Amino acid sequence: MRFDGWDVAFGSGDLDALVPAYVATIHKAQGSEYPAVVILVLSQRYAMLQRNLLYTGITRGKRLLVRVGSRKAVARVVRHVSGRRRWSKLRERLAALPAGAIAL
């Protein structure tokens, strides 16, 4: 299979686990887990910078999380507290991630 200029090989046993998608929303991923998640966090999408959405997005990946975007946007999300209080421990979870687990 050719993907974005790269040759990608899949074994026949891998095909059942393959979920083809260029983009899946955090809402759609809710309740699911994936081996790897790439999450885009940009200041330009201010309406989507909600703490609960970031929490849901980062907790979908079982082995790998790659964050693309700015630290400023993530800081804004973590600081933004909506009207209802949640005890998700998002700050502690982000701090506990290994240094290489989050890419800019």
Side-chain angles (χ1 to χ4, degrees), residues 24-28 39-55 57 73 76-77 80:
T25 66
I26 290 174
H27 292 95
K28 186 171 180 160
I39 188 166
L40 180 62
V41 185
L42 298 173
S43 295
Q44 292 89 339
R45 302 289 181 229
Y46 186 75
M48 297 305 292
L49 293 181
Q50 298 176 27
R51 196 174 177 156
N52 61 328
L53 288 177
L54 180 62
Y55 172 80
R76 179 182 282 178
V77 172
H80 180 264

Side-chain angles (χ1 to χ4, degrees), residues 2-73:
R2 192 122 175 103
F3 178 75
D4 201 22
W6 294 79
D7 288 324
V8 181
F10 295 99
S12 60
D14 297 328
L15 296 178
D16 288 339
L18 185 62
V19 179
Y22 287 98
V23 175
T25 66
I26 290 174
H27 292 95
K28 186 171 180 160
Q30 202 163 9
S32 300
E33 285 187 327
Y34 302 95
V37 170
V38 178
I39 188 166
L40 180 62
V41 185
L42 298 173
S43 295
Q44 292 89 339
R45 302 289 181 229
Y46 186 75
M48 297 305 292
L49 293 181
Q50 298 176 27
R51 196 174 177 156
N52 61 328
L53 288 177
L54 180 62
Y55 172 80
T56 301
I58 67 171
T59 57
R60 299 307 95 192
K62 290 174 75 174
R63 291 191 302 262
L64 176 67
L65 168 69
V66 177
R67 179 185 48 86
V68 178
S70 71
R71 290 178 188 261
K72 182 179 177 182

